[in-house]
Amino acid sequence: MADPFTALDALPRVRLAHLPTPIEPMPRLSAHLGGAELWVKRDDQTGLATGGNKTRKLEYLIAQAQQAGADCVITAGAAQSNHARQTAAAAAKVGLEAHLVLRALPSEPPAPIGNLLIDHLVGAAIHWTEESAPYSATIAQVADELRTAGKRPYVIPYGGSNAWGLLGYVQAMREFTAQARECGHFDAHIFATSSGGTQAGLVLGAHLAALPAECQVLGISVSDTADELVPRVVELTNAGAELLGSTWRASAEDVQVNDRYLGEGYAVVNAADREAVRLAAHMEGLLVDPVYTGRALAGLIDLVRQGVFGHGTRVLFWHTGGYAALGAFADALV
Ligand SMILES: Cc1ncc(COP(=O)(O)O)c(C=O)c1O
């Protein structure tokens, strides 16, 4: 059968990630919960000053920056942004200057720990802002200042989520389908979703790979309601489809988001997040962070306990990284 993913090979890509990432069983966590057989896709091991999902996106985004003749990149996020840290590390690796717009003001900029420490170490310039996602006003202002100084900035969007970035996760689904010959298929793919690019890439990849309709590609939201996220993911998925020359278009029914684990909001660590971080570490020696992967795992743990993913089903948890931030959440975890 012809490879449905070949259109990807014609698009510019800079190799940054350690691929393929392993897929491993989680037998002790599965036995402890007493439901589905749980496996993990180790996208926390992609590399770039630790790792995480942004490394795959940056393979395409940095290629775009290079094609545009940029000498610096700008991106934005929270003070403990994994995306900002990975972008800064990618920029260092290919010799671009990195400018990070990070949110702190009106409070004092936080101590350089976790991702922020790595931002400093890889040489990023940090621009503190009061603005929240998508940070467009401050990004535009920093871009103007850089242009005035004679630089050629390239803006990488919040979360790396645009048509180019999401291609990293179309590629990831291609990688999974090759690995599935060994580890078998799953009833559900579960992951943290926030700016939506990871989910859009997986949805488009699942379509191209013709995964069975009953196989769930389920994003556990860590920040936004499903009403906000679903249209965003649909739009991103379709922008990616267009780039790949596919005539398929996703609709809201193709995008599954569970927003029941938001608690008191983004990065406000709750008891379920804490339990997930500790269970993954105790049972599997696996580090997850309380903001993204721990919260998504908390959702998965709850769904297993409720019997939604019961005995006899198989679930793949995409570990999208985040543990570089752990030190910054020590007070909430210990
Ligand atoms: C560790 C981690 N997991 C998941 C996500 C969510 O990915 P996306 O923004 O593509 O929805 C992020 C985003 O920053 C992240 O840092």
Side-chain angles (χ1 to χ4, degrees):
M1 195 184 90
D3 178 357
F5 290 94
T6 46
L8 273 175
D9 299 332
L11 299 174
R13 175 183 181 195
V14 177
R15 294 301 180 112
L16 297 168
H18 305 155
L19 302 177
T21 58
I23 294 183
E24 300 166 346
M26 296 196 283
R28 295 194 68 237
L29 182 60
S30 307
H32 176 79
L33 296 173
E37 185 184 314
L38 304 176
W39 291 60
V40 57
K41 172 102 171 121
R42 297 297 305 272
D43 268 24
D44 57 313
Q45 302 288 306
T46 50
L48 273 187
T50 77
N53 58 343
K54 310 306 177 185
T55 307
R56 290 188 188 269
K57 297 181 180 187
L58 285 160
E59 292 199 333
Y60 291 93
L61 293 164
I62 292 286
Q64 288 305 302
Q66 289 178 332
Q67 298 239 316
D71 56 10
C72 53
V73 292
I74 310 173
T75 201
Q80 281 300 328
S81 167
N82 300 298
H83 164 67
R85 178 254 309 163
Q86 284 170 276
T87 302
K93 196 168 163 76
V94 301
L96 295 169
E97 222 175 75
H99 290 263
L100 304 179
V101 170
L102 301 181
R103 185 179 190 197
L105 305 175
S107 309
E108 281 293 297
I113 49 176
N115 280 310
L116 189 53
L117 170 62
I118 301 175
D119 298 341
H120 284 293
L121 293 178
V122 298
I126 295 175
H127 308 262
W128 293 107
T129 180
E130 211 172 328
E131 196 190 353
S132 54
Y135 303 89
S136 5
T138 317
I139 290 176
Q141 184 193 325
V142 172
D144 278 349
E145 286 164 14
L146 288 167
R147 275 189 215 99
T148 307
K151 304 251 181 211
R152 295 184 305 279
Y154 182 86
V155 174
I156 293 182
Y158 174 71
S161 285
N162 65 9
W164 290 105
L166 70 87
L167 295 181
Y169 270 85
V170 179
Q171 187 73 42
M173 193 49 101
R174 179 192 215 176
E175 182 180 298
F176 164 75
T177 54
Q179 291 174 306
R181 287 184 216 121
E182 295 266 314
C183 65
H185 273 278
F186 292 87
D187 298 291
H189 294 254
I190 304 235
F191 47 87
T193 188
S194 179
S195 67
T198 301
Q199 181 153 17
L202 290 175
V203 167
L204 180 52
H207 166 77
L208 293 173
L211 288 195
E214 28 333 324
C215 170
Q216 292 191 50
V217 177
L218 174 62
I220 308 274
S221 177
V222 303
S223 53
D224 297 60
T225 65
D227 285 349
E228 291 164 320
L229 254 170
V230 170
R232 193 188 306 156
V233 174
V234 168
E235 196 181 318
L236 283 166
T237 306
N238 291 338
E242 201 172 328
L243 262 188
L244 289 177
S246 163
T247 54
W248 179 70
R249 292 295 175 264
S251 60
E253 295 73 57
D254 300 304
V255 175
Q256 301 171 56
V257 172
N258 182 325
D259 61 3
R260 290 200 301 276
Y261 301 100
L262 293 173
E264 287 178 48
Y266 174 76
V268 183
V269 181
N270 60 41
D273 303 331
R274 208 166 14 249
E275 186 205 11
V277 171
R278 298 183 76 89
L279 263 186
H282 278 220
M283 294 286 162
E284 299 290 343
L286 188 71
L287 293 179
V288 295
D289 75 291
V291 180
Y292 292 97
T293 41
R295 179 161 287 182
L297 187 60
L300 173 55
I301 289 170
D302 184 56
L303 293 171
V304 172
R305 284 179 176 149
Q306 282 182 42
V308 175
F309 298 118
H311 201 70
T313 61
R314 304 180 81 226
V315 175
L316 183 63
F317 178 68
W318 288 69
H319 186 332
T320 47
Y323 55 65
L326 269 178
F329 291 92
D331 289 352
L333 292 173
V334 183

